[in-house]
Amino acid sequence: MLIPWSRAISEVLRANLAALYPGILRQVGVRPLYANFWVTTRCSGRCQTCTQWRQPAVDEMNTPETREAILCLKKAGAAIIYFVGGDVFLREDIFELIRFAEQIGLRTHLTLNAFTVTAEVARALRATRVASIHLSLDALSADFDRIRGTKDASGKVLKALRLLQEGGPSSIRLGLTSTIMKRTIPTVPDVVRFALANRLTVFFNLINFTHHFFATEFSRQEYELSAEDKTALAALVSWLKQKRIEYPHLMPRLDHLDWIRAYFDDRHQRQTPCFQTLLKICVLPNGDVRPCCSMETAGNLRTQAMEDILTSEPYIALIQKALAKDCPGCSCRYTINLDVSPGSWVRELRQRTKMALR
């Protein structure tokens, strides 16, 4: 299911209007377009960038509760759902949840560490209507093992990729997600070359230390770049932009690539409006609801109706804080991420023309 342009444009206008005039937030309402659903914090990885695997087990919603939460997201206006974790395959009901989301008309996506993708899991995934699966891969070297705290981490990702590709073409779009941080600036090009050679889409996470799950000292240290690091980052971004020109359907947009350098100069980017809290919603395994994964919980689906949470004082207050950039800051690109912003496409055209003429 694709999002109708009319719906996407209306949500962009809603977000812009609320950002310009926060006082009318209650009048324009909150109707999230997509959801990040953290179905579990249990994980097969031991990543230095993450705290989930170090924390006590969360009281996860059971299958009926989770199905009801997914239905609530649909009724609230969500068209897209990202199932994330932890390791989503540590939930025995994950395929039931994926099928349920598809049955009620949600477009589903998965981001995986791929450590528990077996041949059986891969076959089950290929039988779904999942729109895209991105496998996390920061390096093709042993340094990825150290980042993820897992032996032969890159080998496991590449094996999972092969399993997902077996059986010929699939409707699922496969890609790699690489986290840009101090130590991966030199390794990202190898990952990108591998992805492009295999017709895989490329997406970048930017190291973050304010998110509730990623607030580690390792992450903070990896965000801090020296002058030499920033010079290397500038060269990397320039190279990535050239790859975008060569592979426009596999690489992120030019304005998203430009954002990388800006983010490492200032994670807040207060001069750029943040519409994320108006366009998405975050649901945690225990039913907690947040407008942003870096902000506080505003309600819980076990005890409150979704509509009541979205119109509650705590939820509205958090959105107003986000619009004013009175927030921890994050790596979620404060530009509109719907690919329907006319300004972003104008900038893209100008930059592509300029680079092509070099």
Side-chain angles (χ1 to χ4, degrees):
M1 183 198 74
L2 296 176
I3 303 172
W5 275 82
S6 58
R7 170 75 200 284
I9 291 173
S10 70
E11 295 308 323
V12 169
L13 294 175
R14 181 193 301 266
N16 276 271
L17 192 60
L20 290 170
Y21 308 104
I24 66 169
L25 190 55
R26 287 193 177 279
Q27 285 69 43
V28 299
V30 179
R31 193 166 177 254
L33 185 61
Y34 66 100
N36 285 350
F37 202 128
W38 302 77
V39 291
T40 186
T41 57
R42 290 174 288 151
C43 197
S44 54
R46 294 295 181 265
C47 302
Q48 295 189 62
T49 56
C50 185
T51 64
Q52 290 188 85
W53 59 272
R54 310 168 199 255
Q55 298 174 358
V58 173
D59 180 20
E60 297 174 4
M61 291 185 288
N62 59 31
T63 303
E65 288 176 317
T66 306
R67 283 167 60 104
E68 180 61 28
I70 294 170
L71 183 59
C72 286
L73 290 170
K74 172 67 175 179
K75 291 179 178 178
I80 302 170
I81 185 168
Y82 292 83
F83 286 111
V84 294
D87 185 337
V88 298
F89 298 123
L90 296 184
R91 275 199 70 134
E92 295 180 354
D93 61 354
I94 186 60
F95 287 103
E96 178 180 345
L97 299 178
I98 291 172
R99 287 192 296 269
F100 178 72
E102 293 172 344
Q103 288 167 4
I104 63 174
L106 288 171
R107 185 176 175 86
T108 57
H109 300 262
L110 296 174
T111 298
L112 312 173
N113 66 19
F115 297 160
T116 54
V117 174
T118 62
E120 182 181 3
V121 167
R123 284 194 297 270
L125 281 172
R126 287 175 59 87
T128 68
R129 298 198 303 274
V130 169
S132 73
I133 297 174
H134 268 70
L135 309 181
S136 297
L137 184 64
D138 302 335
L140 291 168
S141 63
D143 198 39
F144 189 51
D145 295 6
R146 291 186 284 273
I147 295 171
R148 298 289 173 172
T150 302
K151 187 176 180 180
D152 192 28
S154 59
K156 291 177 180 177
V157 173
L158 298 182
K159 178 182 177 181
L161 181 61
R162 289 194 298 272
L163 290 173
L164 289 167
Q165 292 173 323
E166 285 181 359
S170 166
S171 61
I172 299 174
R173 189 163 191 179
L174 296 176
L176 296 178
T177 294
S178 193
T179 301
I180 294 181
M181 61 183 98
K182 181 188 300 186
R183 69 180 56 202
T184 63
I185 292 173
T187 64
V188 165
D190 288 338
V191 175
V192 172
R193 290 187 190 97
F194 174 83
L196 298 179
N198 289 276
R199 306 303 296 175
L200 303 170
T201 57
V202 177
F203 184 79
F204 297 112
N205 285 327
L206 309 180
I207 192 70
N208 176 265
F209 58 88
T210 63
H211 188 295
H212 282 280
F213 295 142
F214 303 132
T216 70
E217 186 57 32
F218 176 87
S219 297
R220 181 182 289 274
Q221 292 172 357
E222 288 298 314
Y223 172 81
E224 299 294 339
L225 303 185
S226 66
E228 184 179 354
D229 294 328
K230 289 187 176 181
T231 298
L233 179 66
L236 171 63
V237 171
S238 179
W239 182 81
L240 293 174
K241 289 168 70 175
Q242 185 58 51
K243 292 303 172 186
R244 163 68 189 193
I245 302 302
E246 298 172 20
Y247 301 90
H249 300 298
L250 299 177
M251 292 290 293
R253 295 198 324 244
L254 290 174
D255 61 329
H256 283 188
L257 295 174
D258 281 331
W259 181 265
I260 296 172
R261 290 185 63 187
Y263 168 75
F264 279 98
D265 286 332
D266 172 19
R267 69 178 188 276
H268 273 99
Q269 292 297 304
R270 297 186 189 278
Q271 76 281 4
T272 306
C274 174
F275 304 132
Q276 291 296 313
T277 52
L278 285 162
L279 297 173
K280 79 172 180 182
I281 188 170
C282 298
V283 180
L284 274 60
N286 66 350
D288 281 351
V289 176
R290 297 172 179 168
C292 168
C293 296
S294 287
M295 301 185 80
E296 297 83 4
T297 294
N300 186 281
L301 291 174
R302 279 174 160 162
T303 58
Q304 298 168 271
M306 177 67 81
E307 182 179 355
D308 291 340
I309 295 174
L310 294 179
T311 57
S312 69
E313 288 297 336
Y315 200 90
I316 297 296
L318 286 175
I319 291 181
Q320 289 175 329
K321 286 178 67 175
L323 290 173
K325 292 292 184 68
D326 181 17
C327 64
C330 72
S331 58
C332 291
R333 298 176 187 82
Y334 299 148
T335 54
I336 295 175
N337 288 348
L338 301 179
D339 291 346
V340 297
S341 172
S344 69
W345 287 108
V346 170
R347 290 192 297 275
E348 170 97 2
L349 180 61
R350 287 174 178 169
Q351 291 194 54
R352 291 186 65 177
T353 302
K354 185 185 297 184
M355 294 180 71
L357 292 174
R358 288 177 180 174

